[in-house]
Structures are given as structure tokens and as C-alpha cells.
Amino acid sequence: MDTNRKALIIVDVQNDFCPGGSLAVAHGDEVITPLNRLAREFLDRNEPVFKTRDWHPEKTKHFADYGGTWPVHCVQGTRGADFHPDLLEDLRETIVSKGIDERADGYSGFDGTNLARLLREEGINEVWVGGLATDYCVKHTVLDALKSGFCVKALADAMRAVNLNPNDGQHAIEEMRAAGAEIVGNEKKAAGARP
Ligand SMILES: [Zn+2]
């Protein structure tokens, strides 16, 4: 029996987080190529692939208009909430919608979802995590995966940061590592510090 069963978690590679979107992450679309390659490899090996999506109601405390931090983004059913058109689409993948609760930010793919249960049902003990953005949804998903008892590889080549403050991406990497995640790949890209 394979004692190290892995899953890939692709976090929020949606139009609104990519260039041209309402909350665009600089170079956000660069995560697509490495994530598509990994997704194909995982599916070829019969290992599960999960895609999270930010899936907000029109009115939520997450948005600046209602007391939160962010411009309106990823509202359920809008084009901005669609996955980026270049992201691999495969029926074997499982989509996990999050951020549905209007009283919560819902950064983590584990927050208010059945992701932990689905992973356990699949016998997963290790997750590889990449996507958008390093300093919010990726970080919180990584930290929750660790708290839920999974080993985590954080895919630095396949994440990019918002950097509301210029070092947020770098701090997020350090926080994920300190919590027990293995950081693989180019941390400078993942941190995306402004020049
Ligand atoms: Zn959001």
C-alpha cells in the first residue's frame, strides 16, 4: 500500500485575481503553466486534484463597501469568479467553493468547506498547494492543511502575492515554513516583492 498519498490543491486561479481582474495579483497568470503541468501529472497517477474558488455573495463583510478590506471580486456566477480560461479543466477534478459566508473572509480552502473530509476519504496524507495569492488564500489554506494534520508542500513557483504591504509575500512564506510547510521552488517569485 502506498503510504504517501498526495493531492494537489489549486487555490483561486480565477479571472478577478489575474491581470485584468478586479483584484489582480501581479503576474498572477504565471501560476497557470506550472499548475496545469502538475495537475496533469497528478491525474495521470490517479491522485486527486482540488480547485478552490472564491465564491462570494454580492454583499459580504469581506468587501470594502461593507466594512472589509477588498474591492468587489469573485461574486458568485460572474465572469470574474470563473476560473482563468487557460487553467486546465478536467472532470476528474473537484471544485471547492469558499467565501460563501457573508460574515467571514473565507480565505482558506478549508474554511466552511468539506475539503478536509474529502481529503481524508481519499486517504490523503500530503497536499501540494499553489495558486493565488501567496499572502492570503494560499497561506491560510496551507496553515489550515497543517492544522488538519496533512503534510504540506507549498509550491513557490506556482503562487504569487498581493503585497498590500511590500513584504507580505515574504512574510507569508516565512509563516508557512515556520508552521511546518516545505517550501519548494523559487521563493522570490512566490513573494513577488515590488521592485
Ligand atoms: Zn475573496
Side-chain angles (χ1 to χ4, degrees):
M1 187 156 159
D2 188 355
T3 52
N4 188 29
R5 187 157 157 75
K6 302 191 295 285
L8 177 64
I9 303 175
I10 296 175
V11 177
D12 297 9
V13 182
Q14 292 164 273
N15 287 324
D16 272 342
F17 296 128
C18 290
S22 68
L23 184 42
V25 176
H27 306 283
D29 52 341
E30 291 177 9
V31 305
I32 294 170
T33 300
L35 288 173
N36 281 351
R37 188 174 60 240
L38 282 168
R40 284 193 198 93
E41 288 172 11
F42 272 69
L43 293 170
D44 284 349
R45 291 192 301 254
N46 226 359
E47 292 167 334
V49 175
F50 294 86
K51 289 198 295 203
T52 71
R53 64 178 178 184
D54 228 8
W55 198 244
H56 295 306
E58 278 177 26
K59 195 177 160 186
T60 160
K61 65 152 264 195
H62 186 57
F63 294 159
D65 291 348
Y66 305 101
T69 307
W70 305 106
V72 172
H73 63 276
C74 298
V75 172
Q76 296 164 13
T78 62
R79 199 189 148 271
D82 286 345
F83 291 114
H84 188 286
D86 295 338
L87 189 67
L88 179 75
E89 229 185 297
D90 188 294
L91 290 173
R92 292 169 289 178
E93 296 168 327
T94 303
I95 293 172
V96 175
S97 301
K98 65 183 189 58
I100 294 169
D101 186 343
E102 65 189 31
R103 296 158 304 173
D105 284 311
Y107 292 127
S108 163
F110 290 88
D111 186 0
T113 73
N114 58 359
L115 181 55
R117 181 170 61 76
L118 293 173
L119 290 167
R120 291 200 184 99
E121 280 172 5
E122 293 267 6
I124 303 299
N125 64 321
E126 177 176 309
V127 294
W128 293 21
V129 183
L132 301 171
T134 306
D135 36 356
Y136 288 92
C137 292
V138 171
K139 179 182 88 172
H140 286 279
T141 300
V142 163
L143 296 178
D144 277 354
L146 290 163
K147 275 185 215 150
S148 302
F150 300 102
C151 297
V152 180
K153 274 194 170 65
L155 307 167
D157 290 324
M159 62 177 76
R160 295 293 183 276
V162 175
N163 284 324
L164 275 186
N165 304 301
N167 293 319
D168 285 352
Q170 189 53 46
H171 289 151
I173 299 275
E174 286 157 16
E175 205 178 330
M176 289 189 275
R177 182 183 285 116
E182 182 185 347
I183 313 292
V184 295
N186 186 331
E187 292 182 26
K188 286 208 175 88
K189 281 189 178 172
R194 285 174 183 152

